[in-house]
């Protein structure tokens, strides 16, 4: 029994160090060391394992349980980026936005159009809008590039691409300055370079050799994409930092919480889910494990009121994200 507990202790310490590695994404870019970013993908499973082992030590009447519980406080905020139970916010919402990767409308263009129209949002930011040609009465359309589209009930002052990557990469960022009730806000719509995984590519079937080859191929796709993201994040950060207006940054980041992308894109901004979200933030549902890759961030002068991942519809491999804000702090 002592040997078994020693093995579990070593395992627990190892998981602790792996979890600490995910925190280093705030400081270490993928081009220098991409493996910390790789760890962020496994954060939910590492955290669950860490908590299960704490309960084991508690039931074993071991004082080390309290040590691991104390160290676990380091991961309170990282956990809240995945699962959160915030109190009801104070204030009245006067801005509603929808951010949604429509997957090019292949799961039902008309159904998606009806859903978006029913939301009656002030601003809608669509990703992978591959020339679907949506038009909504009473909305102005900003579409400097076909893969990203913004619809708004308000006046568009200017819209342009902010992405400077190679056209072949097929990922973009746009900024759209919109006047709302006499004040201008900058909406940045993001679709970071995708990993382009098919379900079969990530599904392990129990065949040791085949599964090992799949894992190698997954890593071969992940690491170069992390490095591409680093350049794209830098470009988007410039758009945020140089904005003369308050910013709302939203879209499909193709990155999980606690990743390099998350830490650096959210810098100086407020994660609406972290502030007012409840339940799970999982927004991509094509695989059988929790993945949050859709976000809404805002300047500190814009107050988040509510955040919802709308799981009532299944019209894309992403769920729509609906957030409301108060523009008067």
């Amino acid at each position: 029994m002592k040997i078994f507990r020693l093995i579990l202790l070593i395992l627990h310490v190892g998981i602790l160090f792996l979890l600490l590695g995910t925190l280093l994404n705030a400081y270490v870019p993928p081009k220098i060391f991409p493996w910390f970013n790789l760890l962020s993908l496994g954060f939910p499973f590492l955290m669950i394992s860490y908590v299960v082992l704490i309960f084991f030590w508690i039931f074993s009447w071991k004082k080390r349980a309290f040590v691991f519980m104390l160290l676990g406080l380091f991961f309170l905020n990282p956990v809240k980026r995945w699962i959160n139970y915030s109190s009801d916010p104070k204030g009245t919402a006067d801005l509603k936005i929808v951010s949604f990767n429509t997957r090019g409308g292949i799961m039902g263009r008309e159904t998606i159009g009806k859903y978006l129209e029913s939301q009656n949002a002030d601003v809608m930011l669509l990703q992978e809008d591959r020339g679907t040609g949506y038009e909504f009465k009473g909305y102005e359309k900003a579409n400097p590039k076909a893969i990203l589209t913004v619809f708004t009930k308000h006046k568009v002052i200017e819209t342009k691409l902010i992405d400077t990557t190679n056209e072949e990469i097929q990922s973009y960022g746009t900024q759209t300055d919109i006047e709302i009730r006499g004040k201008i806000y900058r909406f940045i719509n993001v679709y970071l370079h995708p990993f382009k995984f098919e379900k079969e590519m990530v599904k392990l079937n129990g065949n040791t050799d085949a599964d090992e080859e799949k894992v190698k191929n997954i890593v071969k796709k992940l690491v170069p994409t992390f490095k591409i993201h680093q350049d794209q994040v830098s470009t988007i950060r410039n758009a945020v930092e140089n904005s003369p207006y308050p910013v709302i940054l939203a879209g499909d980041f193709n990155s999980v919480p606690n990743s390099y992308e998350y830490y650096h894109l959210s810098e100086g901004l407020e994660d609406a889910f972290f502030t007012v979200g409840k339940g799970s933030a999982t927004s991509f549902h094509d695989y059988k494990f929790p993945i949050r890759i859709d976000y809404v961030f805002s300047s500190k002068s814009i107050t988040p009121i509510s955040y919802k991942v709308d799981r009532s519809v299944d019209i894309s491999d992403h769920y729509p994200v609906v957030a409301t804000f108060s523009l008067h702090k």
Side-chain angles (χ1 to χ4, degrees):
M1 191 63 176
K2 288 184 177 180
I3 295 177
F4 176 70
R5 287 177 177 168
L6 177 60
I7 292 171
L8 287 185
L9 177 60
I10 294 171
L11 177 63
H12 208 168
V13 172
I15 292 172
L16 172 63
F17 277 99
L18 291 176
L19 286 168
L20 290 171
T22 65
L23 304 184
L24 293 177
N25 282 314
Y27 312 102
V28 183
K31 287 185 179 181
I32 292 178
F33 193 78
W35 307 108
F36 291 140
N37 221 24
L38 197 64
L39 284 175
S40 66
L41 294 170
F43 180 86
F45 305 102
L46 290 171
M47 200 67 228
I48 290 170
S49 300
Y50 187 85
V51 172
V52 167
L53 285 171
I54 285 177
F55 278 108
F56 174 81
W57 300 127
I58 291 173
F59 291 128
S60 299
W61 295 94
K62 295 295 181 181
K63 293 179 181 178
R64 67 192 64 160
F66 298 101
V67 176
F68 283 112
M69 287 173 65
L70 185 63
L71 292 172
L73 294 176
F74 282 109
F75 311 111
L76 183 60
N77 283 345
V79 167
K80 288 177 65 178
R81 295 171 189 142
W82 289 88
I83 300 175
N84 194 17
Y85 291 94
S86 60
S87 58
D88 292 331
K90 297 178 180 179
T92 303
D94 49 19
L95 175 69
K96 179 179 181 180
I97 77 164
V98 174
S99 178
F100 186 30
N101 183 319
T102 65
R103 202 183 183 186
I106 64 173
M107 294 177 69
R109 181 184 173 281
E110 289 186 9
T111 306
I112 291 172
K114 289 178 180 178
Y115 170 80
L116 292 172
E117 193 169 32
S118 73
Q119 291 302 302
N120 194 31
D122 292 279
V123 181
M124 298 185 292
L125 302 99
L126 308 184
Q127 303 88 43
E128 284 202 77
D129 180 33
R130 301 180 186 277
T132 47
Y134 292 117
E135 299 289 345
F136 302 100
K137 186 177 180 180
Y139 284 83
E140 189 172 349
K141 183 177 182 179
N143 183 218
K145 205 69 177 180
I147 204 168
L148 289 171
T149 305
V150 174
F151 290 94
T152 178
K153 292 181 177 180
H154 305 278
K155 182 180 178 181
V156 174
I157 303 300
E158 183 184 18
T159 184
K160 67 176 184 178
L161 282 172
I162 59 173
D163 188 271
T164 58
T165 55
N166 190 308
E167 286 286 327
E168 296 178 359
I169 290 179
Q170 290 285 308
S171 53
Y172 309 96
T174 64
Q175 67 180 41
T176 305
D177 296 338
I178 301 174
E179 183 178 340
I180 303 175
R181 301 176 189 91
K183 187 174 181 179
I184 298 174
Y185 298 86
R186 176 161 294 176
F187 290 81
I188 298 179
N189 195 6
V190 172
Y191 177 60
L192 293 188
H193 186 60
F195 294 102
K196 298 180 180 179
F197 286 130
E198 299 295 335
K199 282 185 181 180
E200 191 57 35
M201 295 172 64
V202 298
K203 185 178 180 181
L204 304 181
N205 55 24
N207 184 312
T208 305
D209 292 336
D211 287 349
E212 183 179 345
E213 189 62 28
K214 281 186 177 182
V215 171
K216 288 180 180 178
N217 289 333
I218 289 171
V219 173
K220 286 179 182 178
K221 274 184 169 286
L222 289 173
V223 172
T225 303
F226 291 153
K227 294 177 180 180
I228 292 170
H229 283 181
Q230 182 179 334
D231 292 332
Q232 294 175 339
V233 166
S234 177
T235 303
I236 294 165
R237 283 303 313 170
N238 285 336
V240 172
E241 291 167 4
N242 294 324
S243 174
Y245 316 116
V247 170
I248 289 182
L249 169 65
D252 175 3
F253 293 3
N254 278 303
S255 308
V256 297
N258 312 312
S259 62
Y260 173 87
E261 295 89 334
Y262 178 92
Y263 278 117
H264 290 268
L265 286 176
S266 65
E267 186 178 350
L269 302 175
E270 196 164 1
D271 180 346
F273 174 76
F274 184 87
T275 306
V276 297
K278 295 181 180 181
S280 168
T282 293
S283 56
F284 181 78
H285 60 88
D286 212 26
Y287 303 152
K288 299 299 183 183
F289 45 89
I291 303 179
R292 179 195 180 194
I293 57 177
D294 299 277
Y295 304 86
V296 180
F297 299 149
S298 63
S299 295
K300 304 293 185 182
S301 60
I302 303 173
T303 306
I305 300 297
S306 68
Y307 183 102
K308 176 185 178 182
V309 179
D310 193 348
R311 298 185 179 86
S312 67
V313 292
D314 189 2
I315 50 181
S316 171
D317 52 355
H318 293 244
Y319 291 120
V321 172
V322 182
T324 63
F325 299 86
S326 171
L327 299 179
H328 305 285
K329 195 152 187 175

